[in-house]
Amino acid sequence: MKKMFWFTDRLNLDANKGTFYDLRPRQDDRRILKNPHKGWYWHFVEGGFSNQSYRQGYEKIHEDGSYEILDDVTDFPGLNHLYIRFNWGDIEQEKGVYDWTPIDRLMDAWGKKGFQFALRACSFMGNYFPATPQYVLDMGAKYKDFFIDNMWTKEPIYDDPIYLERLAAFMEEYGRKFNGDPRVEYIDMGTFGTWGEASASVMYPTEVIKKHMELHIKNFPDTYIMINDDFFAGRGGREMREGETQELLDYARENGMTLRDDSICYTAYVDMGNYHSLLVPTVYDALYPNGPIDTEFCHSYYYENEKCADGESAFQDGFRALAAVERGRVTFAGFHSHPRKFMEAHPGMAKYCANRLGYWYFLEGMQIPAWKAGQQAECTLYITNRGYAHANHKYDLKLRFTPLQGGDAIVIDCPETDNRKWEPCGVSSFDHATEEKLHISLDNVAAGEYKLQIGLFEKDRPVYFGVFEAEEDNGWAQVGQVTVE
């Protein structure tokens, strides 16, 4: 095996500002990191709990109600959470009687395997009827007979007073149950439209859509809320009054909502617009500051079997999907397929995106001036984010001083540092790095020689840097030997 050499460029750094520790030779961009709040997800519950779809073979519910995981797919690279698209009627079959058992048991079982969750409650699921509980219709809520997927079904009238009254009561319980739950990455607004994707059989005024937005905003103040891009793309050219699409986008932005896109790489979307199949990319830009962006690949059948108008595949060996997640600055990406099938069909893509979805941090170097024991000190960290997006959670940056002569390590916090400001660098080179000034207190650090390490943590959980495994210790990355005078 050939020996790897590292040639350092001539960095334009002021030697008077201290010693520069070049950390680039320790970088590893091959190791797949399991970091929080980013990565792949699995569309686990597809059309309510009555529809097995993509979870067959992975779970078993026994006659006594106990839940068993048959295949936990923890070997899927960067698989962060399970997406649960359920029916309102799955939970509240009788007025005011809420049974969360279907969600509780799978969250309990899969949560123990290290997975997070995302939730979308729907009131109309097309052929997966009834999504709105039957008792709501029996109370007199109006509905429309709707032909979809070769069958007649009942679509609720989304501004019917009885429907909205009962939906509001359900949403209050939904919020009490899951708002602020650390296991939940985000709540996806799904109460309006077929499958919760904004597509109703008739156009509704923005006031109706805002009511559904408000029900989510009110009841989930401590959880990210996503809105589907079809609320904007689907109204294009069909506005009831000029400017209402912008009105909806402004309302979402002002209320902290972020964005989800169902079915990228769908042939019709590719034929309608850009190579990356995102219908309205500027909406991503508008909502990106609010929180994580989510894209979901369309059902694998379509992009694996159907052709676009130009005769080419909608997936293009995955390159079209890669263009979408990069352009959208995506934190979470999901697949409408069995995870084993997706891994077998697209192993390179599964691994390539595992680190790049969301943030992906690399230490480029540190410049450290003379440090004196018992005083306030500073240093400069150079770091790059090679992922597709910034982080949406603030993590704790810390320095660890371990005495070379023996003794307990000393950990110093850097509370002023905000990793959410580390934007993707575009080009992974030193001159594209973020320059972060660290201000620390050496009150508890005596004069001497130390091994210096740097770490990033969510409470006690390490947020791993892209370094060789041998160069870090449970999230603490090596910097080098330093002297405190």
Side-chain angles (χ1 to χ4, degrees):
M1 182 176 179
K2 291 184 178 180
K3 182 179 179 180
M4 298 298 294
F5 292 93
W6 186 267
F7 297 95
T8 57
D9 50 354
R10 295 183 179 274
L11 299 176
N12 186 24
L13 298 169
D14 187 349
N16 294 323
K17 293 184 178 180
T19 302
F20 179 72
Y21 293 77
D22 192 346
L23 304 180
R24 293 172 297 174
R26 298 174 180 174
Q27 294 174 352
D28 180 5
D29 65 357
R30 297 181 64 180
R31 183 162 68 114
I32 294 175
L33 308 176
K34 179 65 173 175
N35 277 330
H37 310 301
K38 65 183 296 289
W40 288 108
Y41 68 91
W42 173 11
H43 198 127
F44 187 68
V45 178
E46 156 62 14
F49 280 92
S50 61
N51 177 35
Q52 291 293 309
S53 286
Y54 300 128
R55 51 197 172 108
Q56 280 186 327
Y58 299 92
E59 66 172 6
K60 183 176 182 180
I61 301 173
H62 297 277
E63 291 183 0
D64 63 0
S66 60
Y67 188 94
E68 180 184 1
I69 295 175
L70 302 178
D71 181 358
D72 62 21
V73 294
T74 50
D75 57 326
F76 193 107
L79 186 58
N80 176 76
H81 66 268
L82 276 59
Y83 184 88
I84 303 169
R85 182 163 69 176
F86 67 99
N87 292 327
W88 171 11
D90 289 330
I91 306 302
E92 188 192 8
Q93 295 182 13
E94 299 179 34
K95 180 181 178 181
V97 179
Y98 304 96
D99 182 6
W100 299 99
T101 301
I103 298 177
D104 285 340
R105 62 189 175 195
L106 74 85
M107 286 182 66
D108 179 63
W110 290 91
K112 290 175 181 176
K113 296 292 183 179
F115 291 104
Q116 297 286 99
F117 305 90
L119 300 168
R120 178 195 283 186
C122 296
S123 63
F124 183 56
M125 203 75 82
N127 54 351
Y128 303 124
F129 176 81
T132 295
Q134 182 62 41
Y135 87 82
V136 178
L137 305 183
D138 293 341
M139 287 179 64
K142 295 182 175 61
Y143 61 87
K144 179 182 178 182
D145 289 322
F146 185 28
F147 191 74
I148 184 172
D149 291 341
N150 297 313
M151 65 177 291
W152 285 99
T153 186
K154 293 179 173 64
E155 179 189 29
I157 302 300
Y158 295 105
D159 58 352
D160 177 84
I162 297 174
Y163 163 86
L164 283 176
E165 177 190 348
R166 296 312 309 157
L167 179 62
F170 168 76
M171 290 299 297
E172 287 183 12
E173 289 297 320
Y174 187 23
R176 270 194 284 270
K177 177 71 174 176
F178 293 113
N179 176 50
D181 189 325
R183 300 172 300 172
V184 177
E185 292 284 6
Y186 56 87
I187 295 293
D188 187 12
M189 176 178 148
T191 55
F192 184 97
T194 313
W195 310 299
E197 294 178 352
S199 53
S201 59
V202 297
M203 289 289 286
Y204 280 81
T206 56
E207 287 74 16
V208 178
I209 297 172
K210 283 184 179 180
K211 180 61 180 177
H212 286 260
M213 296 166 77
E214 178 189 330
L215 287 173
H216 289 76
I217 294 163
K218 174 185 175 182
N219 292 296
F220 290 95
D222 307 307
T223 303
Y224 284 118
I225 303 169
M226 291 189 174
I227 185 169
N228 202 285
D229 76 314
D230 288 339
F231 280 99
F232 315 105
R235 299 184 80 84
R238 300 193 299 148
E239 294 185 318
M240 294 181 172
R241 61 180 185 273
E242 185 178 356
E244 67 179 12
T245 302
Q246 185 66 50
E247 175 190 342
L248 281 175
L249 179 58
D250 290 343
Y251 188 80
R253 179 170 49 193
E254 291 162 6
N255 285 280
M257 300 183 81
T258 182
L259 191 71
R260 170 184 169 84
D261 188 347
D262 289 26
S263 299
I264 64 169
C265 297
Y266 182 48
T267 50
Y269 297 163
V270 174
D271 291 339
M272 288 169 64
N274 300 292
Y275 176 85
H276 48 55
S277 78
L278 305 181
L279 295 181
V280 192
T282 51
V283 174
Y284 291 75
D285 301 334
L287 299 182
Y288 173 73
N290 284 354
I293 300 294
D294 170 10
T295 59
E296 183 175 273
F297 302 170
C298 71
H299 293 278
S300 58
Y301 170 83
Y302 295 108
Y303 63 71
E304 289 176 355
N305 296 281
E306 293 191 354
K307 301 295 183 182
C308 299
D310 59 8
E312 295 188 4
S313 163
F315 206 52
Q316 293 227 323
D317 297 325
F319 287 105
R320 200 185 301 276
L322 289 177
V325 295
E326 184 174 22
R327 171 61 185 90
R329 291 180 286 183
V330 167
T331 292
F332 299 119
F335 44 87
H336 253 115
S337 177
H338 291 275
R340 292 285 174 211
K341 178 182 177 182
F342 186 85
M343 269 200 295
E344 291 171 4
H346 312 288
M349 183 180 202
K351 294 176 182 177
Y352 184 84
C353 288
N355 285 328
R356 290 170 174 82
L357 288 165
Y359 62 89
W360 187 24
Y361 297 143
F362 285 81
L363 300 170
E364 304 292 338
M366 286 187 72
Q367 191 159 28
I368 301 175
W371 280 345
K372 297 185 182 298
Q375 295 187 6
Q376 299 297 306
E378 65 176 35
C379 61
T380 304
L381 171 67
Y382 296 92
I383 191 164
T384 52
N385 176 2
R386 303 186 192 175
Y388 292 135
H390 57 219
N392 294 286
H393 294 75
K394 187 178 185 297
Y395 304 128
D396 300 320
L397 188 73
K398 302 173 183 286
L399 298 180
R400 185 165 74 173
F401 294 75
T402 303
L404 295 185
Q405 65 271 27
D408 295 334
I410 303 160
V411 175
I412 297 177
D413 295 325
C414 305
E416 297 177 355
T417 304
D418 190 347
N419 61 286
R420 292 172 297 183
K421 297 180 180 179
W422 300 343
E423 291 287 348
C425 62
V427 177
S428 55
S429 63
F430 185 86
D431 51 349
H432 288 80
T434 296
E435 183 177 319
E436 188 77 44
K437 297 288 186 183
L438 307 183
H439 299 90
I440 60 174
S441 172
L442 299 178
D443 287 348
N444 298 319
V445 181
E449 301 293 319
Y450 294 88
K451 178 177 71 173
L452 179 64
Q453 296 168 300
I454 186 169
L456 196 62
F457 298 89
E458 182 182 46
K459 296 182 179 178
D460 295 329
R461 179 181 179 178
V463 178
Y464 294 99
F465 296 111
V467 298
F468 288 109
E469 196 167 5
E471 297 287 346
E472 58 97 1
D473 174 19
N474 197 29
W476 290 103
Q478 306 293 342
V479 175
Q481 182 175 327
V482 299
T483 300
V484 177
E485 300 174 359

